[in-house]
Amino acid sequence: NASTLDILSVNLAGLLGAWNRNHPSKAVRPGDRIMEVNGCRSGPQILDTLAKATTVSIQFARRWQRSILRHPGLAAKDLEDTFSIHLRRNTGEGLGLEIDGF
C-alpha cells in the first residue's frame, strides 16, 4: 500500500528500542506498518513528519498470524490490529527504525 510504510527493523539502541523495552505489550516489530503520523496519512508526508517532528504520534497496524486464525467467518479487515504510540525526542535524535514503502 503506497500510503503506509512497512517496518523492516527496530534498532534496540534507538528511541523505539527504548519504547519497546518500556512498553512490551505495544512493542513495535518488523512487519508492523505505519498508518499515520501526527495526522498525516500519505507516505511522503509520513516520511517528512518522521524526519522533522520532535513529538510524534504514530498509528501502527499489525497483521495477525494466519496460523492462529482458524475461524472461516473472519473477514480480511479482522486480520489486523491497530495501536498508537506517542514519542518525544531531542532535535536530531533518530527513532531507530528502518522502514520500507517507497
Side-chain angles (χ1 to χ4, degrees), residues 32-55:
D32 290 346
R33 290 181 297 126
I34 298 175
M35 306 297 290
E36 181 178 312
V37 176
N38 292 1
C40 298
R41 294 184 179 202
S42 77
Q45 289 178 325
I46 289 172
L47 288 171
D48 188 56
T49 303
L50 287 173
K52 296 177 181 173
T54 55
T55 301

Side-chain angles (χ1 to χ4, degrees), residues 43-102:
Q45 289 178 325
I46 289 172
L47 288 171
D48 188 56
T49 303
L50 287 173
K52 296 177 181 173
T54 55
T55 301
V56 290
S57 177
I58 308 172
Q59 182 180 26
F60 294 92
R62 176 174 295 152
R63 290 194 69 84
W64 296 357
Q65 294 178 4
R66 283 199 180 271
S67 61
I68 64 171
L69 299 174
R70 304 252 184 240
H71 193 284
L74 289 176
K77 66 180 172 64
D78 296 326
L79 300 177
E80 282 190 341
D81 278 330
T82 60
F83 64 99
S84 297
I85 68 170
H86 308 280
L87 299 171
R88 183 170 190 76
R89 63 181 170 181
N90 298 318
T91 303
E93 182 180 24
L95 292 174
L97 155 78
E98 183 182 3
I99 55 178
D100 188 21
F102 288 89

